[in-house]
Amino acid sequence: GSTSSGLAPPPSASISLYNSFMNNDSNFNATSIQIMAEKMFQEGWDHLMGDHFQTIDRQAGQALIIRAMLNGSTVAKGFCAFRGWGSSGSDSKNPNHAEAYAIFSGVSKGFTNLNNTNNSDGLTHTSSMSQQSSKNMSVELNASVNALAMMGYFCRNGYGTEVNMGDSIRWFANAAKKKHSWAMAMLAFCYQEGDEIMRDEVKAYKLYKKSAELGYAKAMFNMGEICLVGVRGVTEAEDPDHDKAMHWFKKAALQKYAKAEERLVEYEKKQSGRLRRALRSLSRGKSRERGKSRERGRSGGSSDASRTSRTSRTSGSNKSGDRNRSQSRSSRGRNRSQSRSSRSKNKEERRGRSQSNTKKKVGNNSGDDASQSGTNKSVSKSISSRSGRSGWGLRRKSKTLGD
């Protein structure tokens, strides 16, 4: 049903927007109802697509768009025809693409004077919207931009018309110029694939980034994918950047974008797997260290015992060696003293024998003067000869020592 103002009550997802509008505008008329309907369509679009930082909620988005259609939104009517949605909110098996194309084409008449222009970001765009009456301008502005984006989608896929890639690019570019984030992402995809237009990864990256910054969840996800591999020619994204990729995946996941959530789950599994492997490796390393320390402890006890036995054996051998050396020194000392005493005894014996022989000779020659005199001469001669030899030796010694 509808309220007394003629505006169909919204679903619970849009109740705050509905209440705000009711409180601020008590004088309802056809224009205000259409404005409210277009705003409701935009909110339904945002929930359906995950746009403008809205959480993806397909059911709420569908309900809002149907409610916007019932309240007179022309774009909502075309979108419901495209998806086959009726007043019940259930999908139809027979969507009417031709009707949807006709509706979007009619809404986009204000943008039909399309001429190629260059925007500041280097993208090729079409001419801007033609003049409309001031009354309808504010009402149809957002609806017209959505219609432009849908025209690009229809021309690309042949919904209600023939496939025309050139027209598709022009429609997407014109909507992107009006900061339609979904159209920006579609145009970025065209530059990325290079089927409808010359491949240009730099332009694709810039468009995806703008779309993501405007809050489109799928563009955020695509930014994450790009950051994982890097983009040649873009200074800020030349090399793969895992941290930036995770940043974009998390932002898309906050809006319940399923692929981003899956990526984060995969990443967490990999991280937990790496952590488990690291912990297992650490545990194995600690076990090995404990085993080695136990082995060192066991081998250390036996080595201590062996070192003790070796030390005792060495000390015993050293003591016996000391005793042997002291005994040998004492024996050598005794032998030296015995040899000295024996030599002195021998000298004494020789001296005694020589003295006894001399006395015998003197006694035998004392009665014979001639013999005595001859003997004296011979003795003196022998003494002089000995003293001469002894004198040479002294002189030689004197000369040798230098006096």
Side-chain angles (χ1 to χ4, degrees):
S2 61
T3 64
S4 59
S5 63
L7 186 65
S12 58
S14 187
I15 195 70
S16 61
L17 176 65
Y18 177 79
N19 289 337
S20 175
F21 189 86
M22 291 287 288
N23 292 332
N24 294 329
D25 193 348
S26 59
N27 298 318
F28 278 96
N29 52 40
T31 301
S32 61
I33 291 173
Q34 190 173 2
I35 291 172
M36 181 62 194
E38 298 300 348
K39 287 183 178 180
M40 197 175 289
F41 170 78
Q42 187 62 55
E43 187 174 349
W45 170 278
D46 291 344
H47 280 294
L48 187 70
M49 307 297 291
D51 204 353
H52 296 105
F53 302 102
Q54 290 291 338
T55 301
I56 294 175
D57 188 339
R58 310 287 187 192
Q59 187 175 359
Q62 180 178 339
L64 283 164
I65 291 173
I66 292 172
R67 189 65 60 181
M69 176 193 68
L70 295 177
N71 285 319
S73 169
T74 307
V75 177
K77 183 180 179 181
F79 197 86
C80 287
F82 164 60
R83 298 297 295 268
W85 294 344
S87 60
S88 63
S90 60
D91 287 336
S92 172
K93 294 182 180 179
N94 298 308
N96 193 335
H97 292 165
E99 181 185 356
Y101 177 79
I103 292 171
F104 291 138
S105 179
V107 174
S108 302
K109 283 182 180 179
F111 298 87
T112 53
N113 296 324
L114 304 177
N115 295 312
N116 291 333
T117 60
N118 289 325
N119 200 7
S120 59
D121 59 1
L123 302 176
T124 301
H125 296 294
T126 56
S127 62
S128 61
M129 183 179 64
S130 62
Q131 291 292 328
Q132 298 180 6
S133 65
S134 59
K135 180 180 178 180
N136 294 328
M137 181 74 73
S138 60
V139 176
E140 296 291 339
L141 181 60
N142 290 333
S144 297
V145 175
N146 286 321
L148 286 174
M150 292 305 298
M151 284 294 290
Y153 189 73
F154 274 44
C155 290
R156 186 175 190 274
N157 294 283
Y159 292 143
T161 185
E162 294 181 356
V163 175
N164 189 325
M165 294 301 181
D167 285 347
S168 174
I169 295 296
R170 285 192 292 272
W171 286 114
F172 281 141
N174 207 36
K177 185 179 179 180
K178 302 299 179 183
K179 296 185 179 181
H180 195 283
S181 54
W182 180 76
M184 285 182 183
M186 290 300 298
L187 186 59
F189 179 77
C190 294
Y191 278 114
Q192 184 181 14
E193 293 297 307
D195 294 333
E196 301 93 342
I197 197 171
M198 185 177 294
R199 183 183 177 90
D200 192 331
E201 292 184 349
V202 175
K203 288 183 179 180
Y205 172 82
K206 290 179 179 179
L207 284 165
Y208 274 135
K209 187 177 181 181
K210 287 181 180 179
S211 178
E213 289 172 347
L214 288 171
Y216 183 38
K218 188 171 183 179
M220 295 176 187
F221 174 79
N222 289 343
M223 282 294 294
E225 292 287 321
I226 290 171
C227 289
L228 284 177
V229 296
V231 181
R232 185 177 298 175
V234 180
T235 304
E236 65 185 53
E238 187 79 32
D239 300 319
D241 192 328
H242 186 269
D243 292 337
K244 282 186 179 179
M246 289 300 108
H247 165 76
W248 287 114
F249 287 146
K250 287 176 182 177
K251 287 179 73 69
L254 287 175
Q255 293 178 224
K256 303 298 182 182
Y257 188 70
K259 290 183 178 180
E261 292 175 331
E262 291 171 4
R263 271 303 181 122
L264 290 177
V265 170
E266 290 174 3
Y267 173 71
E268 295 207 356
K269 284 182 179 178
K270 288 181 181 178
Q271 289 295 97
S272 61
R274 291 192 190 101
L275 181 60
R276 285 196 297 271
R277 288 193 293 272
L279 289 175
R280 283 198 298 268
S281 176
L282 181 62
S283 178
R284 286 195 295 267
K286 288 183 177 179
S287 299
R288 286 194 294 268
E289 286 298 325
R290 285 195 294 269
K292 289 180 180 179
S293 63
R294 284 195 295 268
E295 290 178 1
R296 284 195 296 269
R298 288 194 294 268
S299 63
S302 60
S303 63
D304 289 342
S306 62
R307 281 197 297 271
T308 303
S309 62
R310 286 198 299 272
T311 303
S312 61
R313 289 196 299 270
T314 304
S315 62
S317 62
N318 290 336
K319 289 178 181 178
S320 62
D322 291 339
R323 286 195 298 270
N324 294 331
R325 283 193 293 274
S326 62
Q327 290 174 0
S328 63
R329 282 197 296 271
S330 61
S331 63
R332 285 197 297 271
R334 285 195 298 271
N335 292 333
R336 281 195 295 273
S337 61
Q338 288 175 0
S339 62
R340 282 195 298 271
S341 61
S342 62
R343 283 197 298 273
S344 62
K345 286 180 181 180
N346 292 332
K347 286 180 181 180
E348 290 294 333
E349 289 176 358
R350 284 197 299 273
R351 192 178 295 114
R353 283 197 298 272
S354 64
Q355 288 176 358
S356 63
N357 291 330
T358 303
K359 287 178 181 180
K360 287 180 182 178
K361 287 179 181 181
V362 172
N364 291 330
N365 296 325
S366 61
D368 191 352
D369 292 336
S371 302
Q372 182 68 34
S373 126
T375 302
N376 290 336
K377 287 179 182 180
S378 64
V379 171
S380 62
K381 190 182 291 185
S382 65
I383 291 171
S384 65
S385 65
R386 284 198 300 270
S387 65
R389 284 195 298 272
S390 178
W392 181 86
L394 291 173
R395 286 193 299 272
R396 186 180 182 110
K397 185 174 182 181
S398 175
K399 289 178 180 180
T400 304
L401 297 176
D403 198 7

